[in-house]
Each structure stands twice: as C-alpha cells, then as structure tokens.
Amino acid sequence: MAKIQIKSETRHELSFFPNSFDDYVPKDSKVRMVDRIVRSMDINPLMDTYDGIGAPPYSPKMLLSLVVFAYINGVYSCRGIADALKYDVRYMWICGGKRLSFATINRFRTNHMIKCIDFYFDAVVSILAEKGVISLEEQYVDGTKIESKANKYTFVWKKTVEKNRAKLLEKTSAALDQIKEQIRQNGGSDIREEDSEPATSAKDVERSARLCERQVKNLPKAKLTGREKQKLNTQISHLFKASDKLREYENSLEILGERNSYSKTDPDATFMRLKEDAMNNGQTKPAYNLQIATENQYWTNFALYHNPTDSLTFKPFLDKYRKRHGKQSKCVTADSGYGSEENYEYMEMEEMVGYVKYNWFHKEQHKPFKEDVFNQANFYYNKDEDYYVCPMGQHMNPCGQRQTKSDSGYVSVITLYRAQRCEGCPLGSLCKKAKGNRTIYVNHKLNAYKKEAFLLLTSEEGMKHRSQRPIEPEAAFGQMKEDMHYKRFRHFGKDKVYMDIGLFGIGFNLKKHLGIKR
C-alpha cells in the first residue's frame, strides 16, 4: 500500500512576501460595490462634524463604508462589527486590516453620523433615482411600531402625574395655611397679601416654606415652647420635600408635552400597543412609531413619531418628503388609518392624487351595509334645500352646528339634522335608542372628500395602486423584521434611534439594489 503524503501546515510560518487583503476579495465582490458607492458620496457633511482637536481620526469614508456594509449584513451592534473585523476578510478589506475597537465605531455613529444621517440617506435615494430604479413620483406610506430599548415597566402616565400633582398641591396649601395661622397666633409678623396666595407650583411652595422658616426663627421665645417650635420646623421640612416632589411632577409634565406617557429609561419613547404581544393581554410597551414611504420596495422617506396614531403623522411625513427631495410626489397611497378630513384637504392643497382609504371603505360596499335603511349614510339628502329624509319619509332639517378639534388642532364643522316628530313612529325602536327626536351628525366636507376618494380608489388606476400597496411598505417591514431581524431599537433617545434606523434604511436600499442575499 502506497504511503499517503500530507502537505505540511503553514499556520505558524511567515510568508516571504506579505499578502495584500486585496488579493482575498474577488473583483466582483459585493463589498467592493458597497465601498464604491459609499466613497462616491460627498464626504464634506461628515467632515464638518469633526473639530480637528486631538489625535487624527480614522478615515470617515472608511468608517461609513464599514458601518453600512455591517448593516447590510444584519450586524447592528458596535461590538459585533468590531468582532467581524477580526475574522471576516471583507471587513478587514474595508479597514485595511485595522482592528478598530467597538468604542471607536460607537463614537463615529453617535458623534458624527447622528448629525448627517439624512444627507447620506437622501444621497443613496438620489443614486437610485439617477439609475432609474425609482422615479420619486409616487410613494406608498405605512407605519409600524417598534419597541424601544427602554425597560417596559418604567412608565409615567400623564393623567396619574396630573392627579397626584393636584392632590399634593391641595394638601400642601392646607399645611401652609395651618403653619401661617400658628405663626400669627404666636406673635409672628403679618404675612403680606401676595405671600398668602395659594401655591400653584413647586417654586411657590418652596418660597412660602422659606418665608415660614424665617418667621419661625424670629418668633418670641416666650410665645413658643421648644416642642412646638420643633413641630413647626418638621412641618416646614415636609413642605420642602413636597416642593421637590412637585418639581419632579412638573419635570415629568414638561417631558410629556402633548404625549400621554413616557419611559423613565428612555423619555423620548411613548407607551403603545404593539402587535408583538407575548402575553396576549394588550400590554403597552415603550416604542416609536416608524413611518416609511417606499417605491419599488425601496425606502424613499422615513421618520419617527411619538404619536401612535397614523393619521396625525401623515402631514408632517409628507412635508418631510418634500424637504428631502425638493418636490412632492404626484400620488400617494395609504390605508384607512390615514383617511381623515385634514389629510384629504392637505393632499388637495398639494395637488396630489391620493389613493387613501377611509374608515368603512370596504364595509360600505357590503350588502348588509347598503340595505340598512336606518343607517344615516343611506339617508336621502336634498342638497338644494339642505335636508335629510328618514326611513319614514320625514324631513330632518338642520338644527345647529358643532366644531370638533383634532389632537393636531384641526377644526372640523359638524352639522346637526333633527327629525320633527319621532313620537309614535312605528319604526322608532329600530331607528333609534335615545329618547326624543332622532338627531344625526354630518360632516359635509369630509363626505365630499370620501366620495372623491371612493371614485379614485375604485378606478382602474386606483385598483392598481391598492393591489400594489400590500407588497410595498408592508413587504419592506416584513423583510426588515423577519429577514434582517431588526425588531427592536438598540439606543436610548430619539436622535440616536433616528440615526440607527437611518443607517438601516441606507443598508436596506443598497442590499436590495445590489442583490445581496446575506
């Protein structure tokens, strides 16, 4: 039997000529394409974030290429990128064999990329538009709620803060009155009228407590025993503690602003109900409302909002689209969560074709809805004489108007129509539940927008956009969460979260454009 020859191992041997990392990366490798695209972009916005103080920094182009390539491959943590630099030749090629620490990569993201993330996201979108991949003439809008890194049990609720603050102020005011009365009875100087006003803030409580503290010190010794004086001082010390607690409540209200909640570990995150509910009990979690616009499944716009309601994010989101690209798209497609009077009016002013559904768009096309004669949507309306006709043929004339204001401040006008005589009507038990004559509430402006939207949505072009919408942003969200495993944010604070999702958007677009599967 022939002796088997085994080649010697060269693991510990030195090569006579040093190898280049360029030799290990094929010329048609995807990492070369990513690096070429990144280095073609203007570096000046990134360079402007450096102050020139201290040791020379690593090349911003190199770091940007490294981070983008990492996000394309689903490596989102700085430690993960730093580990990849030790064993993955593609990452080594980008950095020329430099082994960067995770702190260096983190400083680059949080100190520099955070200031110009929009510029580089827009630059990638512009490259895609130049190549004809997207036209920027249409956008498909949708949103998803992504959980924050914050602890889900560190919630602060606005109603609870307001309730506790009011109780504490009431309790503190009563304690102040009692202390001031004791001071008067024991020979204290008269308290000025402006100092007798009820406390309405932490500053007022602290000022009143200091005033009482000074007056207790100046009380005649013969009038007050040591025990009584000690008791007064204890009550005043409780006032100082109450002022600290009130200041905490006031800081919480300032952080909350128009929101109803926030997380103590991430004050920018708002508690929302998420689809990913492991307990199936509707538990709220700290999260951000991520809105994206897509075309051919490429991200063309993104934004983060505290408000979980999609309809309130629509206008600012479209404004941001115009700011990014210098123009507004010709048409926009969205689901019924965005169909409101305010949004329809905005699209009309912007001269956009809006394929945006409204509530009950699908339900009103079903037979039970159409045949329900007691539904006010099916009442006959005489526009010339301005009256509705009830199922019994009775005219319902206008009897007043009301105004409603949305959370964004938009005012809608509601007209009330009331029947003249419902008493004794044989259909009364089926037509209404409330006592008296039936009253209906009608928003004529919104109804007109709905009719226009219905015609657009049921047209041939509208059907095409409606069928395209589920495979646009929804498919992008599916790839994001399931394929690329981006299901939770990894930073505290809206600015850092925005930077992180911006880098993901850049990586998402380049990955799709270059056909990178891994």
Side-chain angles (χ1 to χ4, degrees):
M1 182 177 178
K3 186 178 180 182
I4 300 174
Q5 298 293 326
I6 304 296
K7 291 183 179 180
S8 62
E9 295 187 31
T10 59
R11 181 187 303 175
H12 303 293
E13 294 181 7
L14 297 176
S15 59
F16 186 75
F17 295 103
N19 294 323
S20 169
F21 286 105
D22 210 46
D23 298 333
Y24 294 105
V25 178
K27 298 299 181 183
D28 60 346
S29 175
K30 301 296 184 182
V31 68
R32 290 182 182 271
M33 299 179 188
V34 173
D35 188 70
R36 193 180 305 117
I37 291 174
V38 170
R39 289 179 180 273
S40 69
M41 295 187 288
D42 186 6
I43 201 62
N44 289 327
L46 194 52
M47 290 298 298
D48 291 341
T49 63
Y50 290 85
D51 53 18
I53 301 173
Y58 287 104
S59 167
K61 283 188 177 182
M62 177 191 75
L63 290 169
L64 179 58
S65 180
L66 171 68
V67 172
V68 169
F69 186 72
Y71 273 70
I72 287 175
N73 289 278
V75 183
Y76 308 119
S77 72
C78 294
R79 294 181 187 273
I81 299 172
D83 286 342
L85 282 169
K86 299 175 184 177
Y87 62 79
D88 195 322
V89 71
R90 298 171 301 171
Y91 292 83
M92 296 178 186
W93 176 83
I94 292 175
C95 295
K98 296 182 178 69
R99 292 194 176 184
L100 310 182
S101 67
F102 76 91
T104 300
I105 301 168
N106 185 56
R107 279 195 300 270
F108 172 73
R109 291 196 310 180
T110 57
N111 295 350
H112 305 289
M113 281 305 299
I114 198 171
K115 300 175 183 177
C116 53
I117 186 64
D118 276 326
F119 175 85
Y120 289 102
F121 177 84
D122 297 343
V124 171
V125 174
S126 297
I127 291 172
L128 296 174
E130 289 173 4
K131 292 180 178 293
V133 178
I134 55 177
S135 64
L136 298 179
E137 296 296 341
E138 58 185 23
Q139 53 178 320
Y140 295 86
V141 178
D142 203 358
T144 187
K145 299 171 183 66
I146 299 183
E147 188 177 354
S148 166
K149 186 183 178 181
N151 190 314
K152 58 186 175 184
Y153 299 113
T154 58
F155 41 78
V156 176
W157 298 99
K158 188 174 187 177
K159 287 185 178 179
T160 303
V161 173
E162 291 175 338
K163 181 180 177 181
N164 291 341
R165 180 176 179 272
K167 282 184 178 180
L168 185 57
L169 276 173
E170 184 180 356
K171 184 177 178 181
T172 303
S173 296
L176 268 171
D177 292 340
Q178 184 180 0
I179 292 172
K180 290 173 182 177
E181 183 61 28
Q182 290 183 33
I183 291 173
R184 289 193 191 96
Q185 291 177 0
N186 289 281
S189 59
D190 291 336
I191 297 177
R192 295 176 299 175
E193 184 177 349
E194 58 268 23
D195 293 329
S196 300
E197 294 180 357
T200 59
S201 66
K203 187 177 180 181
D204 293 342
V205 172
E206 185 178 4
R207 178 173 55 82
S208 298
R210 293 194 184 282
L211 176 65
C212 293
E213 189 178 41
R214 288 197 300 270
Q215 293 204 348
V216 167
K217 287 182 180 179
N218 297 329
L219 286 176
K221 293 183 179 180
K223 291 280 185 178
L224 203 66
T225 66
R227 181 179 290 274
E228 290 173 335
K229 191 169 184 179
Q230 183 181 4
K231 186 177 179 180
L232 270 177
N233 286 329
T234 301
Q235 290 176 324
I236 292 171
S237 68
H238 288 163
L239 287 179
F240 282 113
K241 291 179 181 178
S243 70
D244 293 337
K245 193 64 179 177
L246 283 169
R247 191 170 287 107
E248 181 183 328
Y249 288 146
E250 289 167 5
N251 290 337
S252 294
L253 290 174
E254 185 178 353
I255 293 171
L256 282 163
E258 299 296 326
R259 294 184 289 161
N260 63 351
S261 63
Y262 77 89
S263 169
K264 292 179 182 177
T265 49
D266 185 2
D268 289 338
T270 305
F271 279 80
M272 308 176 187
R273 284 186 171 82
L274 308 183
K275 292 180 181 178
E276 297 82 9
D277 185 5
M279 302 295 292
N280 291 321
N281 59 1
Q283 179 182 349
T284 58
K285 297 178 183 177
Y288 293 91
N289 185 357
L290 170 64
Q291 297 286 318
I292 67 169
T294 65
E295 184 183 351
N296 291 336
Q297 294 187 13
Y298 289 97
W299 288 27
T300 56
N301 189 19
F302 75 96
L304 289 174
Y305 296 98
H306 300 302
N307 199 310
T309 308
D310 287 340
S311 61
L312 298 178
T313 66
F314 194 66
K315 280 177 60 178
F317 186 69
L318 293 184
D319 284 338
K320 187 162 190 177
Y321 187 93
R322 189 201 303 109
K323 185 178 178 181
R324 280 188 187 280
H325 308 301
K327 65 173 185 177
Q328 195 58 271
S329 63
K330 290 182 179 179
C331 67
V332 57
T333 307
D335 62 16
S336 58
Y338 300 87
S340 68
E341 179 186 349
E342 181 180 9
N343 293 338
Y344 286 130
E345 183 181 76
Y346 175 86
M347 289 184 288
E348 183 182 47
M349 293 174 60
E350 292 290 321
E351 299 181 349
M352 300 176 70
V353 180
Y355 301 100
V356 180
K357 297 178 186 176
Y358 50 86
N359 289 337
W360 292 26
F361 168 74
H362 292 288
K363 191 172 184 178
E364 70 181 14
Q365 298 178 60
H366 295 164
K367 189 175 180 180
F369 186 96
K370 292 180 179 180
E371 294 182 351
D372 185 1
V373 296
F374 302 106
N375 188 331
Q376 73 175 57
N378 296 324
F379 286 8
Y380 170 76
Y381 176 61
N382 188 313
K383 187 176 181 180
D384 295 332
E385 299 184 24
D386 192 21
Y387 67 82
Y388 281 86
V389 179
C390 78
M392 280 297 292
Q394 186 179 176
H395 286 194
M396 304 180 73
N397 297 314
C399 60
Q401 285 187 339
R402 291 182 181 177
Q403 290 186 345
T404 60
K405 184 181 288 188
S406 68
D407 292 338
S408 64
Y410 183 82
V411 177
S412 299
V413 178
I414 310 296
T415 305
L416 282 66
Y417 293 84
R418 183 172 296 152
Q420 302 300 316
R421 188 176 61 259
C422 290
E423 185 179 356
C425 176
L427 301 177
S429 60
L430 299 173
C431 185
K432 63 185 183 68
K433 295 182 180 179
K435 295 181 179 180
N437 297 327
R438 181 172 180 182
T439 303
I440 61 174
Y441 301 82
V442 181
N443 186 335
H444 287 294
K445 190 175 180 181
L446 178 58
N447 286 345
Y449 282 134
K450 284 182 176 181
K451 288 180 180 178
E452 185 179 349
F454 181 83
L455 293 175
L456 284 171
L457 290 164
T458 53
S459 65
E460 184 178 348
E461 190 69 16
M463 294 287 286
K464 187 184 82 171
H465 284 283
R466 282 169 54 195
S467 62
Q468 183 71 12
R469 191 195 65 80
I471 60 175
E472 279 285 344
E474 291 184 13
F477 284 139
Q479 295 168 35
M480 172 185 179
K481 294 181 178 181
E482 300 303 326
D483 296 346
M484 302 180 73
H485 307 290
Y486 195 103
K487 298 182 179 181
R488 187 177 182 183
F489 292 122
R490 296 163 175 79
H491 298 273
F492 294 116
K494 187 179 178 182
D495 291 341
K496 292 182 180 179
V497 170
Y498 186 85
M499 173 273 300
D500 194 57
I501 196 64
L503 281 170
F504 177 86
I506 293 172
F508 184 93
N509 284 346
L510 290 179
K511 179 177 182 178
K512 178 175 175 59
H513 178 58
L514 299 175
I516 300 175
K517 296 182 179 179
R518 180 173 178 269

